[in-house]
Each structure stands twice: as C-alpha cells, then as structure tokens.
Amino acid sequence: MTDVDTSPQTSPEADEGASSRRARFHPLTVSGVRHLTDKAIEVTFAVPAELSGDFDYVSGQYVALRTELDGKEVRRSYSLCATPTPGEIKIAIKRDLGGLFSNWANDNLKPGTVIDVMSPSGAFISKHRMTALNDPEQISKEAGTGLARYVAFAAGSGITPIMSIVKQLLADNPQAYVNLVYSNRVALDVMFVDDIADLKDRYPARLAVHHLLSREQRLSPAHTGRLDADKIDTMFGTVFRPEVVDEWFLCGPYDLVQLIRDRLGELGVAADKVRYELFSTGKPGEASAGNTGRPVVVDPTGENFEITFTLDGLEGEVASPKAARESVLNAALRSRPDVPFACAGGVCGTCRAKLVSGEVDMDENYALEADEIAKGYILTCQAHPTTDKVVVNFDA
C-alpha cells in the first residue's frame, strides 16, 4: 500500500454502500507472481465467485495482507494496481530496507500460496468516478464524457494506485487527458515500465508521461535530479497549467506529497481537487506499526478509562489504564481481536470509527478530511481518551 489518505465527498448512496461492508480478512490463493524490477513484484490473487462481492473495488483502493512471521501476526497494506477485473485482484510489493513483510513476500510468495487478504478499503479515488463506493459497474455506467484534465505525481512504489486510477480515467472518458509525473532514483527502479509504455501507446494523444530520475543522467535536465520545489514550479509553468486541472493525484512519501500540496495551495488550487495518498510518513518506528497491539495490563485498583465500542452490532467494553496512554484501537483489540485495522499509523483509515460520546486526542491524521472529523469520525489507532468514558461505533 501505499497508505491512504483523503476521503471524497459522497452521495448518501455511496455512504450507505461504504458502511454496509466492513473490511474483513479472507484467505486467498496467489495465482501469479510477476517481477516488476529486481526489488518489486506484482502479486495476483484469485478471487472465488462466492467472494466477488467482498472484493469489488474502485481504482485507487487498497487491501491489507496478514500473516504470521517469527511467531507474530504482521499486517501490511498494499494498493490495488489494476483496474477492477472479475475473479482476481493485483497488488505490487516493493522490498523495503529492513522491511519484515516486504522482503518475506518477495522471497516467498508464489502461485499456490494462501494468505489472508482484507476486503478493499480506502478513498484515494477520483471524485469524478465516484457514484457508489465499491460498485465499479455503476461507476462505469455513470462515468462522465466531458473534457477533463488530470495530473498524477508518483514516486517509487507510489505508482501502484496511480496505475489503476490512470487506466480507469482514460478508459472511462474518451475526453480525459492525463499528465503522469513519475519519479525514481534510477531506470532499473521504475515499476510497471512496460505497462506505462503500453498505456502511452494505447492513448498517445491523451496521456503524457514524464519520467524523472534522481541518480541517473537523462538527456533532458528537466527530467534529471530530485523532484524538488524548483522542478515542480517549472512543470507548473511549462508542462501543465494548474488552474485548468480538474483533479490531482499525489502518491509518495510524506515530504514530497506535502510539498506539492503546499505549492498547489499557494497557487489557489482548491483542496477538494487534490487527492493524495502516503506510503510512508517518514517517522521512526513506522515499519513495525502494522502489527498487533502492544500488551497492556489493567490494574483493577488503578485509574482507568472506560471504553465502549460497537462492532458488527455487538457492544464491547474494555478498561484502559490512564497511565498507559493506550489508543482506543489497542484497547479494543484486547477485547476483540477482529477489530479492523491495517497500518496502525494514522494513514490508511481502516480503523475509522465514530465517536459517539466522550472526548479523545488524535496524535496524527493522514486519513480523515475536515468534514469527517466534523461528523465525529476518529482514527482509533491514533485516538487516546481524555474523558473517563468514551463510546465509539465501528459500524457507523
């Protein structure tokens, strides 16, 4: 995954569809593994007919994978890299330096491997294609046909959801025009290089691709070096005009995504036109965030927060020591291990719940927009109780 952020405005029907299907794990079998680079693979999972409804998705969404490594449960999130196709889903996994799950996956996943995969989630999707979350057929039927201009920035493995989004935009609307800016260190790091070339051949007049390499010399100085503020400003002035772009898609590390968002804001681009997703926040200790909760021992005689939560229509209660500064998610997991979460870093939004009563503080928030927070939604992995009693609803 890339770690998802933004959540678009939706119709009531879309909200209803999103809430009616909570993300759950299902065992899926690997049906194919394709090497994208020396350090990245594309993994295809077969989706049996009886689970087709659970694995419908919209381009740009992600799934979480779960397995046991070294005797511990490990979860990691990965964006879906292909447009919705009946009977299968595809993700890309790039090795991370010291990455426990990514290195294991690259070395061990092969056809026939069975692994737990969570049903798709996330809202890093085009507003122009959103009519009913997780209903690709309806989206295709109602896709617009008017002129639309899109710009996508990707860095490294951030290309994964961008590939799916760009393919869908171009296929759905014959008047869609896309500029894709893709930054990597060297040419050998470019994931989906053949797929991007094929897409360019299919839509030569409607797709412009700009490859930037930070550690390899290219003929054009504009395409050599890091994607920094100067290069971004140059592109805004010569490659595309921000004021005429209908929607932006940004996917990469926090610093780059934030740099582009800040620059767009300075140019007066409306925030609701900018969709973004993070595959890292760049914070120490993040690599181990997507595991099970930390152990906490409750002292019956001590001071505790009382946390009540609703999940699948069932109510649970758990005490959380005030001295432990435990998250709502961590506490809930001690009561019910099936509480939904993936990254546990405030990025993906899988653990989202509605705060019914009480108050909490959130450490980070990369997955909720202002309107969601105004409606009372919180990221339970980042939320810490500040009142004696807190009630949350994962079903809301």
Side-chain angles (χ1 to χ4, degrees), residues 125-142:
I125 61 178
S126 173
K127 283 186 174 182
H128 291 79
R129 294 295 172 264
M130 177 137 181
T131 55
L133 191 63
N134 300 317
D135 190 352
E137 291 186 3
Q138 185 70 7
I139 288 171
S140 181
K141 289 177 184 177
E142 299 186 16

Side-chain angles (χ1 to χ4, degrees), residues 296-312:
V296 171
V297 178
V298 178
D299 180 1
T301 64
E303 293 188 352
N304 301 303
F305 293 111
E306 294 181 22
I307 299 173
T308 303
F309 63 93
T310 300
L311 177 65
D312 292 336

Side-chain angles (χ1 to χ4, degrees), residues 19-50:
S19 62
S20 63
R21 190 188 75 178
R22 179 170 72 80
R24 302 174 187 275
F25 281 104
H26 301 276
L28 295 185
T29 302
V30 175
S31 59
V33 176
R34 177 170 67 120
H35 285 271
L36 300 173
T37 70
D38 289 342
K39 300 178 181 179
I41 56 174
E42 178 188 74
V43 182
T44 302
F45 292 94
V47 177
E50 62 270 20

